[in-house]
Amino acid sequence: MLVPLAFVAFWPSPMDQPVQNQLASVLQFLHRRGIPGWFNYQFVEASGNVALFIPLGFISSLAFREKQWWRIGAFGLLISGCMELGQLLFLHSRFASPLDLVTNCFGTVLGALLATAALTKIEAHHLSAADL
C-alpha cells in the first residue's frame, strides 16, 4: 500500500497537471448545470486526498485489529507528513500543504472506521448464524 502512495507523492509534477484543463472544463459544465460553486477544484483535490488514504486506513485496521481508529489515523498522519516533507525538501514543482495532512489523515481514519464497521457486521452475522 505504501508503494502507490510513494508513487503519487514523489511524482515530479502534480498528478493532475495533465488533466487540469479538462477538469476545469468539466467543473464549468457542471456549474452551468446547477452544481454548487463549492464543488470546485479545491473540493475535488481534497476529496482525492481523502480517497487516496482510505485504503491505507482500511488495510492497516485489518492488519492491526487491536489498534484503535485514532492510532491508525496517527499512522496515516505520519505517512502523510513524510510525504509532504519529502515534497517540500526534494520536489520544487510540488507543494507541501497542511490541508493535505488533514485530508490524508481523515481518509485514513475513514478507512479504519469502515474496516471496523465491516468487521463488526461480519462478526454479528457469524454470531447470529451460530444461534440457528
Side-chain angles (χ1 to χ4, degrees):
M1 186 68 237
L2 296 179
V3 172
L5 288 177
F7 180 74
V8 169
F10 297 111
W11 192 257
S13 62
M15 293 296 288
D16 61 349
Q17 188 173 15
V19 296
Q20 280 182 346
N21 291 335
Q22 292 87 347
L23 180 58
S25 295
V26 167
L27 289 170
Q28 287 174 358
F29 173 82
L30 293 173
H31 291 153
R32 286 192 305 268
R33 303 291 182 286
I35 298 297
W38 57 261
F39 190 86
N40 55 19
Y41 174 79
Q42 290 80 13
F43 179 81
V44 171
E45 182 185 22
S47 299
N49 283 340
V50 171
L52 183 65
F53 272 73
I54 288 173
L56 178 68
F58 195 90
I59 292 169
S60 297
S61 190
L62 294 177
F64 304 104
R65 292 179 72 175
E66 72 283 353
K67 300 294 184 197
Q68 296 93 344
W69 63 267
W70 60 270
R71 289 181 185 248
I72 301 294
F75 175 64
L77 183 62
L78 175 68
I79 298 299
S80 180
C82 290
M83 291 169 54
E84 295 300 314
L85 182 61
Q87 288 177 358
L88 178 69
L89 296 175
F90 304 116
L91 299 173
H92 300 293
S93 62
R94 300 290 300 266
F95 305 100
S97 164
L99 180 61
D100 287 355
L101 290 171
V102 172
T103 55
N104 294 345
C105 184
F106 179 71
T108 307
V109 169
L110 186 58
L113 294 174
L114 288 170
T116 301
L119 288 173
T120 301
K121 186 166 180 79
I122 289 169
E123 289 170 357
H125 178 70
H126 284 296
L127 289 176
S128 65
D131 292 337
L132 296 176

